[in-house]
Amino acid sequence: MVRAQFALLDHLNIKTLHACVGSSLGGMCSAQAAVLFSDRIRRLVSISACTYSHPASIATRYVQRRCIMTDPNWSNGFYYGNTYPKHGMKVAREIATISYRSGPEWRQRFGRQKIEGAPISLCPTFLIEQYIDYQGERASVMLDPNTLLYISKAMDLFELTPEELKRIQMPTLIMGVTTDALFPVWQQREMAHQLMENGTPTTYYELPSLYGHDTFLLDIHGVGTAIKGFLETAVSEQTALRNTISPFPYY
Amino acid sequence: MVRAQFALLDHLNIKTLHACVGSSLGGMCSAQAAVLFSDRIRRLVSISACTYSHPASIATRYVQRRCIMTDPNWSNGFYYGNTYPKHGMKVAREIATISYRSGPEWRQRFGRQKIEGAPISLCPTFLIEQYIDYQGERASVMLDPNTLLYISKAMDLFELTPEELKRIQMPTLIMGVTTDALFPVWQQREMAHQLMENGTPTTYYELPSLYGHDTFLLDIHGVGTAIKGFLETAVSEQTALRNTISPFPYY
């Protein structure tokens, strides 16, 4: 993916990037770009991402892929012109929604509120069920299923080794969200810690947002403020030096 | 469920229980029993349970039920004598497995280990995927799907009000596990805190186990030691008094 992006930059005759910024898969890509094209990137921002997919996030994506691939309409990927595998896509998105948001957010937003007039049955009773159903329905036709499968698998396979991380020497901002279930905050801590140990000038923030992994889509102020500040502030050697003494625990 | 259990106790002519002990749904039932039959229970032990299902756990169970109920073989529950809805049950159990265990456990146990000889494809690549598949397959025929649906819905609907909790006055042990994703530790904290505020003699433990919600099935020593100690130790009024000054934060 990153090589394709840089092929486009070559085509556009763009030699150097002021910064490479991304969240989630984008945060993985921005870190990968900083490793592969370290001489072409001046600053790196990686938000709610990681240096490798950990097993619980692989497990979640595996179940989502299984939902799509076991939908009879998926037809081994040859569904174009035939019935779209909507059912598998919907369940996959319902699972994704649970992993993208957070329990504390839903507690505040829905609590145990019931759907008005809904009788006690095996059908949805609580507003949270209606919300999950709506999110699944809405997103079930937003992305080509095969595209989703390949992106999902690419995320599982993503891994930057400690040796590769050493190539990241440009000023770097790492951000994590304390309620993120899919890319838990220990992953961003670990990444920042490794960079600091390598002497990379690293700024690290944890955001105590309620919105879990989706925070970068929702808390524009919380996430954006740090990016703006980081992109506009000079990073001195002193910054790098100070940060090599990491103030936070590894895990 | 609890009324049925006590109908059985009546039939067996058992008037009083030395203690009512349960984990997960069992921990909900033991608390419900302590509310409904407070005069027949001398001690209460509730492990990895809660006083109400919170929206993220309702969401997880909702998606599991959908997997079963949208399996064409479920046939609105009339599958007896016909094809068993194995596919829906398997996916439901795969989702359950993710909610029962913990990322930190899988990190230690599987990390990013790959299946030997598995090519890079959309099929399982990592050991964690094989494990999830195995757990889904194994458990897909362990329980009658309709039974699972009703138990699942009953857990969603479970709720003890603050007023009902006040009826729990017997010595009580509450245990939570720090890595539990399905019944997160703030729920056991909240329950213990409410009981302490009510003046109930309450003992509260958090177990820093790796096994998430399934800890009570796996860490027999960690969970069992506390239960043994609690059942064998006299609880004085002093205990209740001390505990009304709660040493831990609410959330």
Side-chain angles (χ1 to χ4, degrees), chain B residues 58-102:
Chain B
I58 294 174
T60 302
R61 281 190 291 269
Y62 167 68
V63 177
Q64 290 171 263
R65 287 198 300 273
R66 251 184 57 81
C67 289
I68 297 167
M69 293 168 70
T70 55
D71 184 326
N73 292 331
W74 182 62
S75 310
N76 283 316
F78 297 98
Y79 49 81
Y80 304 103
N82 293 313
T83 314
Y84 179 88
K86 184 171 184 303
H87 175 62
M89 283 292 280
K90 181 172 174 177
V91 183
R93 184 62 183 208
E94 291 183 342
I95 297 167
T97 302
I98 295 174
S99 74
Y100 287 164
R101 304 300 273 261
S102 88

Side-chain angles (χ1 to χ4, degrees), chain A residues 65 94 107 123 125 153, chain B residues 66 123 125 129 153 190:
Chain A
R65 287 199 299 273
E94 292 183 342
R107 197 174 170 215
C123 296
T125 306
K153 188 76 187 192
Chain B
R66 251 184 57 81
C123 296
T125 306
E129 295 175 276
K153 188 77 186 190
E190 188 178 69

